[in-house]
Amino acid sequence: MTANGDAGLGLLGDPSRRAIFELLARRPSSVQQLADELPISRPAVSQHLRVLREGGLVVSRAEGTRRIYRLNPEGVTALRTWLDGVWSDALTDFQKTAEATPPDWGTDPATGPGSEENP
């Protein structure tokens, strides 16, 4: 399973793959059920599912003569952990920048330097 970090995110860069992922987030489905809801063929759905499965975001189980696909909780957790880390880093950097920047009081264009009130 390789759905860690940006590898998992890269798998969702394709709009069809992302749509399949979103449908599977709602409920497990067969290839035919997915194809019925998407503007792509069954073979295309199967190819996208293979990529998602190899990337660790989707798992399947046999049910009679068909396979039922669902999201892989482990792969989704790894993707979410990576996204949480990226978001946390971004917020930390933003906080450091905000704290290092002195407040810029009195720069309201209506009352600051160069305005009619304060020439």
Side-chain angles (χ1 to χ4, degrees):
M1 207 173 336
T2 62
N4 54 9
D6 55 357
L9 189 62
L11 295 172
L12 299 176
D14 180 277
S16 295
R17 232 175 271 140
R18 197 167 46 251
I20 291 168
F21 183 85
E22 290 171 4
L23 289 171
L24 291 176
R26 293 185 200 133
R27 68 180 178 284
S29 302
S30 68
V31 171
Q32 185 62 58
Q33 289 170 320
L34 293 166
D36 289 345
E37 295 195 42
L38 298 166
I40 58 176
S41 67
R42 278 186 63 230
V45 170
S46 292
Q47 289 175 352
H48 286 300
L49 285 168
R50 180 180 50 80
V51 171
L52 291 169
R53 185 176 40 80
E54 289 173 356
L57 292 178
V58 169
V59 293
S60 67
R61 73 179 190 297
E63 190 175 280
T65 59
R66 62 188 186 154
R67 299 205 68 75
I68 302 299
Y69 293 85
R70 66 178 175 82
L71 295 186
N72 178 0
E74 293 175 13
V76 173
T77 297
L79 178 60
R80 179 161 183 192
T81 299
W82 180 79
L83 285 170
D84 287 345
V86 169
W87 184 242
S88 178
D89 291 348
L91 288 176
T92 298
D93 289 346
F94 177 77
Q95 181 180 11
K96 287 177 184 175
T97 300
E99 289 172 352
T101 306
D104 200 7
W105 307 109
T107 59
D108 180 11
T111 60
S115 69
E116 290 180 23
E117 293 180 17
N118 207 358

